[in-house]
Amino acid sequence: MAARTAITDPYAIYEDPAFDIARKQFAAISQHLNIPADEGDRLLLPKRAITVSVPVHLDDDSTAVFTGYRVQHHLTMGPTKGGTRFAPNLTLGETAALSIWMSWKCALANLPYGGAKGGVCCDPRKLSLRELEGVSRRYMQEMIPFVGPHTDVMGPDMGTGEQVMAWFMDTYSMYVGHSVNAIVTGKPTYLGGSVGRKESTGRGVAFLAERALDVLKIDPTGKTVIVQGFGNVGSIAAASLYYKTQMKITGISDHTCAFYDAKGLPFEKFEKHMESNRDLSNFDGAPRIDPGEMILQPCEVLIPAAVEAVIDGDNAGRLQCRVLAEGANGPTTPAADAILDQRWDEIFVVPDILCNAGGVIVSYFEWVQDLQSLFWNESEVADKLFRILDASFQQVVRRAKAEKISHRLAALAIAVERVRKAKNTRGLFP
Ligand code: NAD
């Protein structure tokens, strides 16, 4: 019998293109901040990575076993915090990458959290509501030993939303014997959710896109926006820029198709369509375009708000936007970054850990409100959110300018420095 070989590379279990992006970004930041390799491993490798089986009875009386993950990146500054993704191709490595980005995002916004991320490898679009409830409850059940309002707080991400968060909260609460609303964020407001949470990520993206246009001295009125992904983040960012800022939405896509009209798309019709449809596949109120071509069209603001690695070494040189506002997590590969670094005076990048931080910031507000059982109104939430985003934006722009580095490197430098200092001050445990 062949002898077993121990896997000595601690990174091997995370092998995945998204993890590769997170690792390469960290290598760049380590070099910039002169972080020694051993300390770098401690900063980058997740504290815990949990894999569980999620067996569920399906509607046809068969049983399916889905795989669930939760990765908690670090517990140095408080509990971990992060979304839950239900997606058919989710991997442990992708989950780990997303947890690492959450850590940097929380640190940049000065939130008392480490990053986490989790999810189930399933296609929620193919599950009935009852099956989705089965997956959600069983996944949370499996996670109970590892989560808690002071250990790890879950939130929504792609493929999950308020209903899934309510099932998570209910499953956890049944286990402990009383209602624990601080176990998840992104719940309905009548279960302890925060007003403005659902809109927070998209509104934050729109706010920062406007701040970037402001730096470029571009008046946004009547200027153009292309948005990839028309879910929570993309649709709300677009709505904010359309209704509040009076910009023109010229491109919209989802995972099924893309639409483009240089004169402006009929935005209200897209919103109306989504009220009664799951996707845009049978929308026929605007001209279609190849989805890959859509993001290459000229515009003032391009918002990738779907999946990772959509801006790569092949298309980064052909982007024609003035502002790249990264609504999605990890939409830009390191190869694309190298090109965008050369194009810094043409394209203003608002990096993901800054651009989409609105979601975790209001999640933090939700958690604080739940722990205190004292709830704020919408203007208090919005005011506090925009103040934190604006402060982070200014710090990033200032640091990038001072050190002649990209906005992404500047954002990561600020975030990694904060986590590093906390780890070095505390010691090895967390
Ligand atoms: P969602 O499930 O509500 O919407 C995702 C959208 O992207 C859908 O319209 C889907 O059809 C589309 N999509 C999927 N694959 C696509 C592809 N290959 N090309 C074009 N469109 C595609 O998810 P969401 O909550 O809006 O999240 C979108 C992104 O924003 C993710 O990267 C997520 O991690 C990130 N994010 C979300 C939040 C949040 O609060 N929801 C916070 C921070 C970051």
Side-chain angles (χ1 to χ4, degrees), residues 25-345:
Q25 285 173 350
F26 188 75
I29 205 68
S30 292
Q31 196 184 14
H32 185 69
L33 298 176
N34 287 320
I35 300 175
D38 56 345
E39 201 190 331
D41 287 341
R42 216 185 126 216
L43 275 162
L44 189 63
L45 281 164
K47 168 88 177 160
R48 287 192 192 115
I50 303 142
T51 303
V52 293
S53 290
V54 180
V56 175
H57 289 302
L58 300 182
D59 289 348
D60 65 3
D61 277 344
S62 65
T63 306
V65 182
F66 300 97
T67 302
Y69 305 109
R70 185 79 185 162
V71 179
Q72 299 167 346
H73 181 226
H74 75 81
L75 291 160
T76 311
M77 296 153 106
T80 45
K81 178 82 196 79
T84 317
R85 181 174 285 197
F86 286 181
N89 44 10
L90 188 72
T91 65
L92 180 67
E94 182 184 15
T95 312
L98 290 161
S99 78
I100 291 166
W101 288 322
M102 275 302 287
S103 283
W104 308 148
K105 197 183 300 183
C106 292
L108 181 63
N110 260 323
L111 308 181
Y113 289 139
K117 205 78 175 192
V120 178
C121 193
C122 68
D123 188 346
R125 286 182 283 253
K126 293 196 176 135
L127 297 173
S128 69
L129 196 65
R130 200 201 60 78
E131 291 168 338
L132 187 66
E133 178 173 358
V135 171
S136 306
R137 287 189 181 278
R138 185 60 193 251
Y139 171 74
M140 178 44 115
Q141 178 74 41
E142 295 299 330
M143 289 299 159
I144 284 175
F146 309 104
V147 299
H150 297 286
T151 319
D152 183 12
V153 181
M154 294 187 185
D157 192 73
M158 269 173 61
T160 61
E162 288 191 345
Q163 176 61 76
V164 173
M165 294 307 112
W167 286 325
F168 282 178
M169 175 193 154
D170 187 61
T171 305
Y172 187 84
S173 299
M174 285 196 300
Y175 173 77
V176 295
H178 57 93
S179 292
V180 185
N181 51 16
I183 183 65
V184 289
T185 60
K187 306 172 287 292
T189 46
Y190 50 87
L191 287 177
S194 177
V195 288
R197 167 60 186 94
K198 203 163 55 182
E199 300 80 9
S200 56
T201 311
R203 281 186 188 158
V205 170
F207 173 82
L208 291 169
E210 270 190 73
R211 291 290 286 113
L213 289 172
D214 195 37
V215 172
L216 297 173
K217 300 192 175 18
I218 296 173
D219 174 4
T221 317
K223 301 295 191 314
T224 54
V225 181
I226 291 177
V227 52
Q228 180 194 53
F230 204 58
N232 176 285
V233 179
S235 68
I236 288 170
S240 180
L241 291 170
Y242 179 74
Y243 293 113
K244 202 174 126 275
T245 320
Q246 266 92 57
M247 294 186 79
K248 234 173 13 183
I249 313 298
T250 52
I252 292 177
S253 70
D254 72 359
H255 68 286
T256 63
C257 57
F259 300 85
Y260 177 76
D261 187 344
K263 296 194 290 297
L265 293 167
F267 188 68
E268 292 91 340
K269 286 190 186 163
F270 280 85
E271 282 190 312
K272 185 119 201 72
H273 176 88
M274 289 308 290
E275 282 170 16
S276 47
N277 291 275
R278 279 183 149 188
D279 58 50
L280 295 169
S281 56
N282 58 1
F283 181 79
D284 58 7
R288 292 195 177 217
I289 186 172
D290 174 78
E293 286 299 313
M294 183 195 76
I295 60 170
L296 300 178
Q297 301 309 306
C299 60
E300 265 73 33
V301 177
L302 173 62
I303 305 177
V307 289
E308 295 102 64
V310 289
I311 296 165
D312 56 22
D314 286 339
N315 59 21
R318 292 180 288 142
L319 295 182
Q320 298 190 69
C321 56
R322 291 292 282 118
V323 173
L324 176 62
E326 295 184 343
N329 286 310
T332 305
T333 66
D337 266 336
I339 296 166
L340 293 174
D341 283 356
Q342 301 296 315
R343 301 186 67 194
W344 67 271
D345 54 345

